[in-house]
Amino acid sequence: MKLYNFIPYFYLFIAALFIYDGITKYLNSQDYYLNIAVAAVAIFMFFFRKKYAKKMEDHHKNKQQ
């Protein structure tokens, strides 16, 4: 279950990579829209997975009581 605590941060790492790539493409006058869109989805997934992990943790605590 500890793996669920690290997965959301993987999405932040992916978002940072795509933001960096998007900025470099923007500065080189290339098409960067897809990179920024993927970064936005990764940031959304970070918050979604973080909330889901908290919900699962609370569920397991309530189940054990």
Side-chain angles (χ1 to χ4, degrees), residues 18 21-23 25-27 29-37:
F18 275 96
D21 192 39
I23 290 171
K25 285 186 177 184
Y26 173 74
L27 293 175
S29 299
Q30 295 176 350
D31 194 20
Y32 63 93
Y33 300 112
L34 185 60
N35 291 3
I36 300 301

Side-chain angles (χ1 to χ4, degrees), residues 8-20 35 38-39 42-43:
Y9 297 104
F10 174 73
Y11 287 110
L12 276 185
F13 177 72
I14 296 298
L17 288 177
F18 275 96
I19 288 172
Y20 173 76
N35 291 3
V38 170
I43 292 170

Side-chain angles (χ1 to χ4, degrees), residues 4-65:
Y4 288 121
N5 294 333
F6 295 112
I7 290 176
Y9 297 104
F10 174 73
Y11 287 110
L12 276 185
F13 177 72
I14 296 298
L17 288 177
F18 275 96
I19 288 172
Y20 173 76
D21 192 39
I23 290 171
T24 56
K25 285 186 177 184
Y26 173 74
L27 293 175
N28 291 329
S29 299
Q30 295 176 350
D31 194 20
Y32 63 93
Y33 300 112
L34 185 60
N35 291 3
I36 300 301
V38 170
V41 168
I43 292 170
F44 167 77
M45 286 299 295
F46 166 75
F47 289 112
F48 179 78
R49 293 288 254 177
K50 192 92 167 146
K51 183 178 178 182
Y52 181 74
K54 175 80 169 136
K55 188 183 288 189
M56 289 298 291
E57 184 179 321
D58 291 342
H59 175 73
H60 287 294
K61 283 182 183 177
N62 290 337
K63 201 173 192 180
Q64 290 177 354
Q65 291 178 354

